Amino acid sequence: MAQSNPGNFDQEHGVYAGSGLYPTGAPIHSDCHAPQSFSVTAPQESHAPTYSNDNREPSRYYDHAQQYSQNEYPIDKMHSSASYDPYNNDSGPPIQSQPIIPSSQPASTASLKSGSQLPQPPNHDAPLSPSQSFGSGLGNRTEDFSQPGKFGVVDIDTVYRTVPSNGMFFGPYLRYGNLDLDTGTWYGSVMIVIGSKVAPYFQIHPTNDIGQIRAIEARQIYQFENFRFFRYNIALKQLPGNTGQFWTYAITHQGNTLTYKFIVAGMQENEWKFMAFSCADFSLSVKEDERAELGGIGYLWEDVLTKHHQIGGLHAMLGGGDQIYADRMWKEISSLQDWLRTKGKMNRKNYEWTPRLEHDINLAYFFYYSNHFDRVGIRDCLSQIPNVFQIDDHDIFDGYGSYPEYMQESQVFKNIGRIAFHFYLLFQHQTTDEVLRISPDPFDLFTVTGNGWHFLKYMGPTCAVLGPDTRAERHRNSIIGELTHRELFHRLQNMPPSVRHVVLMLAVPIVYPRLTAVEHILTGVKHTKRAINGAWNVIGKATSKVASVIGAEKHAKTGFESVKKAFGKSGVMGSLVSGFGEIDLLDDLADHWTHARHETERIYFVRNLQEIARENRVRITFVSGDVHCCGMGRFFNPTYPDNYQLMYQIISSAISNVPPPGAVIRLLHNRDKIYLPEIGGKEEKTDTREEMIEFFERDVDGDKLDLRKLLPRRNYAIAALEPDGTMAWDLYVQKGGRYGVSERTQKYGPLIVPPIALPGSAPNVEGYGVPDGSGYDEQYRRQQMMMAPGGVYGPGGLAEGMNYMNLKH
C-alpha cells in the first residue's frame, strides 16, 4: 500500500512537499472506502528539519525544566527574553496565500493606491513583562466584556497585535484526526504558533508510565509574518478491550515545561463521550453590559472543563461553526470602508483588491484566531479535549455564501473568503490548502470539487461523525454541490459494518421552525418605495409589523433585530439596513435549510439519507448550532416512529453568544404539522413528518414553561454512546451569570436515540411516538433502561452520579 512521505521542507512556501497529515504508515485511500489495515511502524528517516531546544534525554524533561500543569502556569515566574520577538525576527518575507485579482492586474505587480506603503510590524525590543503577556485593549484575553467594534475604525497594526497569555506561544491546540479501526491506532496532532525559529520541545507518554516517553519532531506547516505554525503529529496505540488510557504531553520552551493530558478510548470501547457546541463568541451588536451579565465568553467553557473531569474525560468536542466572529472587520478595518461606500453593483463587484487589503485581512484573521483561542476557558479546553471543527458563516463573516451574485462574486468577497478559509484550515484543522493538495489524505479531510474540505471520523467502532463543509460551495439557491452530495452518500454507504450510528454535523439546523410570515413582510418592504436604499420610515413600518406578529409592541423599534437573533444573525453592519444594500434579514433567512430556495435540495438530502439508514441499518442524527437557542427536533414516521426514518435534530447554540428575546421564541413555537415531500413530490401528507419536540418542562429556575420546544439560554451538549449503538444526548443550559451560582448549568435530558434493529431481531417500533408529539412518553422506557444497572446513567455506568433529571414530571 502506498504510504505518505514526510518529504522535503519547501522554504519558499513554508510547507512540506509530499508531507501527509500523519506519520509514515498512515493509509492513503484513493477509492474513498473505509480505512484499511496497515502496520504501524516507527517513523522513517525524514529529510525535513527537526527542531529542538537541545539534545536532552527525552525521559528527563521533569529534571531539566520547571514544570507546570495546564491550569497552573505561574505568569509571575515566566521567563521572558528578547529572543521572543515575533514582530522583529530575521525570518525573511512573510508567506501569504495568493490573492484572487483580475488577470489585468497580477499579484506580483499590484500597487498600493495613492502611493501608500504597507505598515511595518511594531518593534518590540524589550523583553515581555508578565503584565504585557496578556495583551492590552481589545486584545486582552482576561477581560471578556470589551465590545469589539464599538469604537469604529481602529489602527489594526496596533490593536490587532497581541502576544500569548503564557508569554511563549499560542496554543497548544489538540486536534482529533481519526481512528484506524483495524489496527486500533488513534491519530491526532498538536499545533503551536510561536514567534521563534526554534520550535518548542515536545514529548508524550502514558500518564501513568513515564518510562514510555518519546519525543515528536516539529513540522512547520506555515509562517505568518514571524509567527511559525509548528505541528506535532501523534499516532497512539489503543489499549485492547474497553479500557481507555490517559496520555500526557509536555511542551518545553525557554526553560519552562507545560504538561497537558487527554484520554484515548480502548480499542473495543464503544462508550465514547463527546460534547458539541457552536457560536463561541459575541456578535457585534451585543453590548458590554449584556456580556457582563452573562459572565463573559468563557463562563460555560469553564463548566465544560469541569464536566470533562467529572465524567473521566471527554474523548472529543465537536465545534459546529462560528468558532470565531469575524464580522467586526466591517467596522474596524479602514481599507474596507471605501468598498462599503462604493455605489453601484458592478462597481462593487469589480472593486480592486489591493495589497493593503491583502495585508489587513490576513492580519485580521490571524488576530481573531490567536486572540480568541487564547481566552480563559477556551484555551484550556482546546489543549485537553481533542477537537473536531466545522466552518460556518461567522468564521468568514455573517451570511457569507447567501448574498446576491454581484457581492458573492466580487473581488472583495472572494478574497476575504479565500483568506478566511486559509486561516480556518490553519487554526481549526492544523493544515493548509497547499499541504492538502500536494499530499491529499482522505483518512482525514477530503474535497470533491476543490471547494471545501469535509471529514468522516470514527468515534469508536459503532459511531461515525460526518462533517460536510456547507459554506465553500454555497450559493443563493444551493448549500452543497451535487457532486459533493453524491460523494457524502458514497462514503456513508461504505462505512465498516460495525457502525450503528452516524452523527451528521450541519452548522445550520435542518429541522427548525419556519418564519415565512416574516419573510413575506420583509419581501414586501424590500420592493416598496426603494426601502433597500435606506427609507427608514418604511423600515420602521416593517419593524412594527414584525413586532405585532411577535405579539410584543414594546419591540416595535427593535423587532427587526430581534427576529434576526432568532436565526443567530447580527447583520454584517449591525444596522437595520445592511451596508451591502440589501435588507440583510432576507439573506439570513435564505441561509437556512428550511428556506424555500433550498427545499428541493433539503428533500433530496434527507430522502437519500433515509435510504442509506434503511440499507445499512445505521441511525442518523443531526447536530447543529447557529440559532442561539437549544432544542430537539426530529424527522419520523408517525406510523412506525422508531424505524429508519427517525432522525433526531440536536440544536446546541450558543456556548458564548447571547440568546434571542423570549418574544422571538414565541414566534418560533408554531403548531403546524409539516411533512417531508417525496423527491419530486408536492407538499402533502407523506410517510415522514418533522417537528420540534417539547423537550423543556421547566426553566433553569424551576418555573414551568409555556414554550417548551426551544430554550433561549446559553448552552452546550454532551453525548454518550452505549455498545448497542444507543446514544444519549444531554443539554447543559446556563443558570447564572456574572455573579455566579452554585451550579453553572442545569442538565436537560437525556434524549435517547435508539439504534435501528439489526436483521433477525425484533423490530423496535413499539412504545415510541405519542399522538400529541410531546416527546416525553416516547423517551420514558429508554430512560429507565439507561438508569438501570449497567446503563450509562445507572450504577457502574459512565455518567453515574451526574445530575440526572427525568423528563417525566
Side-chain angles (χ1 to χ4, degrees), residues 18-301:
S19 63
L21 292 181
Y22 299 106
T24 300
I28 294 294
H29 305 288
S30 59
D31 56 359
C32 302
H33 287 191
Q36 303 173 20
S37 174
F38 68 96
S39 59
V40 179
T41 60
Q44 299 178 5
E45 183 68 19
S46 171
H47 298 289
T50 298
Y51 300 87
S52 63
N53 288 350
D54 51 39
N55 295 320
R56 59 175 67 94
E57 288 293 329
S59 61
R60 299 298 298 276
Y61 77 84
Y62 288 107
D63 297 338
H64 62 250
Q66 178 65 49
Q67 181 201 0
Y68 306 103
S69 66
Q70 55 262 36
N71 296 318
E72 300 172 348
Y73 193 75
I75 297 299
D76 59 329
K77 297 180 181 179
M78 178 185 65
H79 297 287
S80 301
S81 66
S83 63
Y84 177 77
D85 191 353
Y87 303 113
N88 194 30
N89 198 341
D90 183 16
S91 59
I95 301 169
Q96 305 284 2
S97 52
Q98 295 301 310
I100 303 170
I101 57 179
S103 57
S104 61
Q105 179 165 337
S108 59
T109 60
S111 59
L112 290 170
K113 287 186 175 181
S114 305
S116 61
Q117 295 183 351
L118 293 179
Q120 297 298 313
N123 188 345
H124 291 245
D125 291 326
L128 300 175
S129 69
S131 60
Q132 289 173 323
S133 69
F134 282 99
S136 60
L138 296 178
N140 190 342
R141 270 90 65 216
T142 62
E143 175 56 74
D144 285 329
F145 311 136
S146 62
Q147 183 178 356
K150 68 178 179 180
F151 301 115
V153 173
V154 299
D155 179 4
I156 65 171
D157 282 288
T158 300
V159 174
Y160 282 14
R161 304 286 178 174
T162 187
V163 294
S165 60
N166 63 20
M168 297 186 293
F169 49 75
F170 295 111
Y173 313 126
L174 174 64
R175 180 175 179 269
Y176 176 60
N178 215 331
L179 191 68
D180 188 286
L181 300 178
D182 294 325
T183 64
T185 306
W186 183 99
Y187 289 107
S189 59
V190 169
M191 189 177 74
I192 290 171
V193 182
I194 188 169
S196 170
K197 293 181 179 180
V198 179
Y201 191 64
F202 187 99
Q203 297 165 290
I204 191 169
H205 64 85
T207 299
N208 60 357
D209 188 0
I210 194 175
Q212 296 188 39
I213 193 170
R214 57 189 171 96
I216 296 178
E217 70 176 30
R219 298 186 176 186
Q220 181 178 330
I221 62 171
Y222 191 70
Q223 181 178 337
F224 173 73
E225 294 188 340
N226 295 325
F227 282 99
R228 287 169 166 82
F229 291 71
F230 291 110
R231 171 170 168 157
Y232 305 83
N233 292 332
I234 303 172
L236 303 175
K237 291 293 292 184
Q238 296 175 281
L239 290 180
N242 297 318
T243 304
Q245 183 180 33
F246 277 98
W247 286 79
T248 295
Y249 66 94
I251 300 170
T252 301
H253 187 67
Q254 295 183 339
N256 294 296
T257 295
L258 300 176
T259 63
Y260 309 82
K261 70 177 182 179
F262 62 98
I263 191 170
V264 173
M267 188 172 182
Q268 282 79 44
E269 187 172 349
N270 300 314
E271 299 163 342
W272 281 51
K273 305 178 294 295
F274 50 90
M275 65 86 70
F277 73 93
S278 66
C279 307
D281 200 351
F282 287 117
S283 298
L284 271 174
S285 57
V286 183
K287 298 179 180 179
E288 186 173 343
D289 57 346
E290 291 182 85
R291 299 172 182 231
E293 186 67 25
L294 288 168
I297 289 173
Y299 188 84
L300 285 188
W301 284 103

Side-chain angles (χ1 to χ4, degrees), residues 529-764:
K529 299 183 180 180
R530 299 183 179 272
I532 59 174
N533 292 328
W536 291 93
N537 60 324
V538 179
I539 296 298
K541 292 179 182 179
T543 303
S544 299
K545 290 181 180 179
V546 172
S548 64
V549 171
I550 295 174
E553 292 298 334
K554 67 180 181 179
H555 288 282
K557 295 182 179 180
T558 59
F560 198 98
E561 290 294 323
S562 299
V563 175
K564 286 161 62 178
K565 288 183 179 180
F567 286 84
K569 305 298 177 183
S570 60
V572 170
M573 301 308 299
S575 60
L576 297 183
V577 177
S578 170
F580 294 158
E582 298 277 324
I583 296 181
D584 56 5
L585 179 55
L586 290 174
D587 297 308
D588 294 340
L589 296 178
D591 214 40
H592 274 243
W593 282 94
T594 52
H595 190 276
R597 288 177 184 161
H598 306 308
E599 186 64 22
T600 299
E601 180 181 5
R602 181 175 180 265
I603 294 169
Y604 168 80
F605 189 44
V606 176
R607 287 296 184 182
N608 275 277
L609 290 174
Q610 286 182 341
E611 188 62 18
I612 292 171
R614 184 188 67 82
E615 291 181 354
N616 295 275
R617 316 301 293 179
V618 295
R619 177 69 69 202
I620 296 176
T621 299
F622 304 103
V623 59
S624 307
D626 184 75
V627 293
H628 300 181
C629 57
C630 57
M632 304 288 189
R634 62 175 178 171
F635 294 106
F636 71 106
N637 185 321
T639 304
Y640 303 104
D642 201 27
N643 72 355
Y644 65 91
Q645 292 164 304
L646 173 63
M647 298 179 182
Y648 280 106
Q649 168 74 76
I650 315 300
I651 301 175
S652 177
S653 174
I655 194 170
S656 295
N657 215 337
V658 297
V664 172
I665 298 301
R666 183 172 298 279
L667 174 67
L668 294 171
H669 275 71
N670 61 68
R671 297 187 176 276
D672 298 338
K673 286 189 176 182
I674 302 174
Y675 290 86
L676 182 74
E678 299 287 350
I679 295 178
K682 299 180 180 179
E683 294 186 7
E684 56 187 16
K685 188 173 182 179
T686 65
D687 62 352
T688 302
R689 184 179 155 192
E690 60 180 275
E691 68 175 5
M692 295 301 299
I693 298 171
E694 292 191 339
F695 192 71
F696 306 100
E697 178 82 12
R698 300 176 182 273
D699 203 347
V700 294
D701 57 6
D703 292 344
K704 282 197 171 185
L705 291 169
D706 295 325
L707 306 175
R708 301 177 179 180
K709 296 179 180 180
L710 295 168
L711 191 60
R713 294 189 181 275
R714 300 202 300 183
N715 63 89
Y716 62 90
I718 291 181
L721 283 163
E722 286 221 321
D724 67 349
T726 297
M727 180 174 287
W729 284 90
D730 290 315
L731 287 170
Y732 288 87
V733 180
Q734 179 171 340
K735 294 175 68 174
R738 184 174 189 176
Y739 304 105
V741 290
S742 57
E743 291 286 340
R744 294 195 177 199
T745 54
Q746 172 68 56
K747 188 176 80 67
Y748 290 85
L751 173 83
I752 308 302
V753 182
I756 296 177
L758 294 174
S761 60
N764 52 347

